[in-house]
């Protein structure tokens, strides 16, 4: 990463999804149309194991010595052994998955066409479902809550499945950014934030329309916000 020098390479099938999960000593990649491979980083991307994953949605997520993947065929979450890639369990979802899984403690959350769904990590038992319409973009999560966009609506839900905040007329398909006690999100023309506890909303950037349509979620580095737009490419802004 320091020099940009190519260290190793591995072919990926044309119809592969290409989703990546980078860990300390491993790389998990969807390198086939229905295949997920776990590779060693320090041995020229040598294969540790491969597993069949039909219709992988989003990136897999690690937890407690396992990997979890959202699959479209059939709509489900699948748990794989981190040691050999063996399938440990498969749990059906209430709708087709639209996001990859995120994890907190022993819970797995996924966004589907029906809303949000949480499963137990041990065996995939359903803990709760939260109907909010079809989730889009990436699912965001921190120790306090889960953030998702459903159409043009922002929804914040606790890990217990309780609604914390809801806001219409946001920019669809862009996941919110969870920043501790506040959450940042785009509307079609502004960048705003909300305090989760009070629901108080603040405007961080007053006019983003002239930059063109925002195409990526925001990232905060050293008190500055970075995001990409159709017209200007990468944008760095200092919030108000």
């Amino acid at each position: 990463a320091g020099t940009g020098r190519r260290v190793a390479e591995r072919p990926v099938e044309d119809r592969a999804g290409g989703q990546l999960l980078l860990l300390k000593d491993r790389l998990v990649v969807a390198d086939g149309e229905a295949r997920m491979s776990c590779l060693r980083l320090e041995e020229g991307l040598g294969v540790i194991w491969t597993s069949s994953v039909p219709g992988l949605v989003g990136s897999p997520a690690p937890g407690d010595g396992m990997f979890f993947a959202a699959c479209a065929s059939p709509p489900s979450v699948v748990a794989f052994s981190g040691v050999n890639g063996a399938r440990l369990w498969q749990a059906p979802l209430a709708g087709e998955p639209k996001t990859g899984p995120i994890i907190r403690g022993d819970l797995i959350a996924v966004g589907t066409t029906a809303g949000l769904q949480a499963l137990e990590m041990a065996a995939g038992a359903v803990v709760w479902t939260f109907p909010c319409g079809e989730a889009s973009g990436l699912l965001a999560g921190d120790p306090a809550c889960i953030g998702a966009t459903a159409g043009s609506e922002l929804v914040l839900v606790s890990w217990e499945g309780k609604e914390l905040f809801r806001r219409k007329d946001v920019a669809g398909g862009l996941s919110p950014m969870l920043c501790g006690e506040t959450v940042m999100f785009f509307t079609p023309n502004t960048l705003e934030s909300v305090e989760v506890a009070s629901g108080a909303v603040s405007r961080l950037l007053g006019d983003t329309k002239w930059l063109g349509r925002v195409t990526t979620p925001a990232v905060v580095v050293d008190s500055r916000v970075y995001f990409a737009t159709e017209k200007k490419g990468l944008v760095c802004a200092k919030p108000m």
Side-chain angles (χ1 to χ4, degrees), residues 17 19 29-30 33-36 53-60 68-73:
Q19 297 95 321
V29 56
E33 183 179 3
R35 185 181 68 232
M36 183 170 69
V53 189
L56 178 66
V57 177
S59 295
F68 303 91
C71 299
S73 304

Side-chain angles (χ1 to χ4, degrees), residues 53 73 117 126 162:
V53 189
S73 304
Q117 185 168 339
V126 176
K162 305 296 183 182

